[in-house]
């Protein structure tokens, strides 16, 4: 266990266990302990540990934090990793084999896997992936910042367009308002002028009648009969003309009430009733112009050494499948090909019956997986419980889930 103080000073794990805080100078990658100078000398001279690799404290500190947490011991069983499961792509301890990897067939020594890990293609590919991802993120960040600036410009442009339209509407309404106000004032002045003319005439007539009314009282008191007779005729003539003047005004409609009214355009009123918004704001989506580095879809790589050439592969007999002749429903089989699944079970393609047959690890028939529409010729494992089967008669390839 690594022992570190608050001042980030690493102390020797062995000395710390004895209660002596000696500063560490090396880190053993195998034992996963800090070593002081004295302990490192004994550790190096011991036959048990002489092949262990160590690194300086500075090298250890420079390791990424997540790498420092990676242990060479199994978290579940507290035992050292010694094997590698190719099917699950994970290191295993001896106890893992009996607990969780019983059916895994392809177990390899972990030391063989780690021999060329630093120079494997996966390291180079992952390094390229990291570089491409970093460049992609940087491009996306620049692109998004550019989009923010572009959207800000679009927003300002839209605001200008809205306010320009508002100003145009205001200017147009102001023009229409001025026209109708001018028309209203013109008609008002005309009506006022006509009434003033009649009013002036009425005042003259009223003054004249008032004058005769005053003279009539004096005439009846002081004039002679002849004078009264002639005066009455003259007054009667004047009043007759005045009455006729009033009658002409009434008949001519000049005394009718003339009202000033305004009728607002129905189209203009419809703006208040029908126009529910100034416009609509849309967020139109277009394809991105961003060009990113193409990445691998499946970046998980099995860090396996290169497989030996076929001339160096030595097959060995493991088991055989025995099919009883009277075993139904597989008493007639023309085996096109077969394969072993990762879990150890067998698949046989029956060309005559157009079937996929499933057998156990021990060679016992389990069931018909599926009946095909064509003659099966070959099969390959895809992933999980899926296999691909070629049908020669129909020139097709079908994907089958053998677990269903």
């Amino acid at each position: 266990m690594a022992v570190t103080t608050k001042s980030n000073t690493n102390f020797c794990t062995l000395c710390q266990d004895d209660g002596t805080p000696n500063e560490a100078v090396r880190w053993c990658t195998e034992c996963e302990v800090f070593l002081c100078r004295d302990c490192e000398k004994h550790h190096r001279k011991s036959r048990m540990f002489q092949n262990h690799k160590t690194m300086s404290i500075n090298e250890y500190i420079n390791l990424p934090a997540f790498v420092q947490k990676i242990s060479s011991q199994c978290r579940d069983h507290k035992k050292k990793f010694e094997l590698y499961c190719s099917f699950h792509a994970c290191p295993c301890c001896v106890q893992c084999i009996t607990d969780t990897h019983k059916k895994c067939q392809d177990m390899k020594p972990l030391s063989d896997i780690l021999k060329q890990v630093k120079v494997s293609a996966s390291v180079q590919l992952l390094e390229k992936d990291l570089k491409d991802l970093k460049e992609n993120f940087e491009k996306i960040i620049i692109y998004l910042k550019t989009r923010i600036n572009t959207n800000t410009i679009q927003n300002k442009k839209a605001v200008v367009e809205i306010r320009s339209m508002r100003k145009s509407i205001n200017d147009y309404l102001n023009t229409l308002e001025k026209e109708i106000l001018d028309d209203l004032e013109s008609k008002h002045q005309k009506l006022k002028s006509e009434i003033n003319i009649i009013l002036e005439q009425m005042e003259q007539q009223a003054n004249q009648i008032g004058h005769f009314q005053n003279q009539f009282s004096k005439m009846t008191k002081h004039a002679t009969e002849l004078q009264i007779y002639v005066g009455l005729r003259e007054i009667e003539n004047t009043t007759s003309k005045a009455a006729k003047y009033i009658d002409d005004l009434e008949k001519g409609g000049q005394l009718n009430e003339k009202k000033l009214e305004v009728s607002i355009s129905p189209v203009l009123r419809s703006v208040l009733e029908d126009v529910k918004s100034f416009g609509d704001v849309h967020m139109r989506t277009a394809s991105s112009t961003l060009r990113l580095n193409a990445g691998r879809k499946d970046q998980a790589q099995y860090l396996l050494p290169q497989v030996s050439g076929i001339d160096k592969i030595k097959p060995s007999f493991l088991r055989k499948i025995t099919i009883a002749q009277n075993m139904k429903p597989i008493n007639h089989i023309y085996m096109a090909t077969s394969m072993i699944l990762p879990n150890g079970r067998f698949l046989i393609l029956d060309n005559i019956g157009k079937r996929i047959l499933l057998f156990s690890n021990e060679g016992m028939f389990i069931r018909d997986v599926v009946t095909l529409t064509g003659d099966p010729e070959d099969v390959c494992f895809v992933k999980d419980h899926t296999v691909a089967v070629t049908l020669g008669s129909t020139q097709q390839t079908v994907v089958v889930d053998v677990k269903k």
Side-chain angles (χ1 to χ4, degrees):
M1 178 184 293
V3 180
T4 306
T5 64
K6 292 182 179 180
S7 61
N8 293 327
T9 300
N10 296 291
F11 291 105
C12 176
T13 307
L14 304 180
C15 294
Q16 189 77 14
D17 291 342
D18 293 336
T20 305
N22 290 325
E23 186 175 354
V25 294
R26 305 289 293 181
W27 166 262
C28 178
T29 59
E30 303 286 335
C31 301
E32 297 183 354
V33 294
F34 287 117
L35 300 171
C36 64
R37 294 187 185 278
D38 292 337
C39 291
E40 195 272 335
K41 290 180 182 179
H42 294 298
H43 184 273
R44 183 166 17 98
K45 291 179 179 180
S46 173
R47 291 185 178 181
M48 184 181 299
F49 308 124
Q50 63 183 359
N51 292 326
H52 285 198
K53 294 181 180 179
T54 63
M55 64 173 64
S56 68
I57 293 299
N58 289 334
E59 291 174 332
Y60 176 81
I61 293 174
N62 287 329
L63 288 175
F66 78 95
V67 175
Q68 293 180 7
K69 295 178 181 179
I70 298 175
S71 175
S72 61
Q73 291 188 349
C74 175
R75 184 183 303 175
D76 297 327
H77 306 114
K78 308 303 179 185
K79 293 184 178 181
K80 188 176 180 62
F81 289 129
E82 296 181 10
L83 299 169
Y84 183 85
C85 176
S86 300
F87 181 73
H88 293 99
C90 67
C92 309
C93 70
V94 177
Q95 189 66 35
C96 289
I97 299 176
T98 57
D99 286 357
T100 56
H101 296 268
K102 290 181 180 179
K103 297 181 180 180
C104 298
Q105 302 294 316
D106 196 8
M107 303 293 290
K108 292 180 171 57
L110 184 60
S111 57
D112 293 346
I113 304 300
L114 301 180
K115 282 180 182 178
Q116 302 179 12
V117 65
K118 288 188 177 181
V119 294
S120 67
S122 295
V123 173
Q124 298 176 7
L125 288 174
L126 188 56
E127 185 177 12
K128 183 179 183 300
D129 290 338
L130 290 172
K131 179 183 177 183
D132 290 343
L133 282 172
K134 183 68 165 52
E135 290 179 357
N136 284 344
F137 279 119
E138 290 174 349
K139 288 180 181 178
I140 293 173
I141 290 172
I142 294 173
Y143 172 76
L144 292 178
K145 288 182 178 179
T146 303
R147 292 307 309 161
I148 291 176
N149 293 333
T150 302
N151 290 338
T152 301
I153 294 172
Q154 292 170 345
N155 179 69
K156 291 180 179 179
K157 182 179 178 181
V159 170
V160 171
E161 184 177 358
I162 292 171
R163 289 177 176 169
S164 175
M165 176 56 69
R166 174 62 183 270
K167 184 178 183 302
S168 298
I169 294 173
N170 288 345
D171 292 344
Y172 185 65
L173 289 177
N174 288 338
T175 301
L176 295 180
E177 181 187 35
K178 185 177 183 305
E179 289 177 357
I180 194 171
L181 289 176
D182 290 345
D183 187 34
L184 176 63
E185 182 62 22
S186 174
K187 287 182 170 59
H188 173 247
Q189 291 299 329
K190 180 181 179 181
L191 182 59
K192 183 179 178 181
S193 176
E194 291 175 353
I195 294 175
N196 282 332
I197 292 173
I198 297 174
L199 180 61
E200 185 179 353
Q201 293 174 354
M202 285 293 176
E203 288 176 346
Q204 291 176 358
Q205 292 288 339
N207 290 334
Q208 187 178 11
I209 295 299
H211 174 72
F212 277 112
Q213 189 178 17
N214 185 40
Q215 295 298 320
F216 180 80
S217 176
K218 292 179 180 180
M219 182 186 68
T220 55
K221 287 181 179 181
H222 305 291
T224 64
E225 284 80 359
L226 178 61
Q227 290 175 327
I228 292 174
Y229 176 78
V230 175
L232 288 174
R233 296 289 295 176
E234 187 175 346
I235 292 173
E236 184 179 5
N237 184 42
T238 301
T239 56
S240 177
K241 289 180 180 180
K244 184 178 183 304
Y245 173 72
I246 293 174
D247 186 57
D248 290 341
L249 288 178
E250 286 183 335
K251 289 180 179 180
Q254 290 173 295
L255 296 181
N256 292 341
E257 291 187 10
K258 292 184 178 181
K259 299 179 181 179
L260 282 175
E261 295 180 349
V262 62
S263 177
I264 302 298
S265 169
V267 177
L268 194 58
R269 287 189 181 277
S270 68
V271 172
L272 301 176
E273 298 173 358
D274 299 335
V275 178
K276 303 301 181 183
S277 67
F278 204 88
D280 295 315
V281 178
H282 301 285
M283 289 191 293
R284 184 172 54 86
T285 302
S287 299
S288 171
T289 58
L290 192 61
R291 294 293 178 265
L292 301 176
N293 298 326
R296 292 177 292 138
K297 293 183 179 179
D298 186 4
Q299 297 184 358
Q301 299 292 323
Y302 289 177
L303 303 178
L304 299 177
Q306 294 183 350
V307 180
S308 303
I310 192 170
D311 56 326
K312 296 183 180 180
I313 297 177
K314 296 181 179 180
S316 60
F317 178 79
L318 293 177
R319 65 180 62 86
K320 64 181 179 180
I321 297 176
T322 303
I323 303 174
Q325 293 184 355
N326 60 350
M327 185 181 295
K328 295 182 179 181
I330 57 171
N331 51 342
H332 296 290
I333 294 178
Y334 179 79
M335 187 171 69
T337 187
S338 64
M339 74 168 297
I340 302 176
L341 297 172
N343 59 9
R345 292 184 173 184
F346 296 85
L347 286 182
I348 291 180
L349 301 190
D350 178 14
N351 189 270
I352 293 179
K354 300 179 181 179
R355 299 174 297 174
I356 300 178
L357 308 177
L358 180 64
F359 292 82
S360 68
N361 302 43
E362 293 76 22
M364 300 297 294
F365 173 71
I366 298 177
R367 61 183 173 87
D368 272 359
V369 176
V370 68
T371 300
L372 304 168
T373 58
D375 300 329
E377 289 190 352
D378 206 352
V379 61
C380 71
F381 178 74
V382 180
K383 65 176 182 178
D384 298 332
H385 309 285
T386 308
V387 296
V389 181
T390 57
L391 307 179
S393 58
T394 60
Q395 295 183 345
Q396 293 179 329
T397 299
V398 295
V399 178
V400 179
D401 187 346
V402 297
K403 191 176 182 180
K404 292 183 178 179

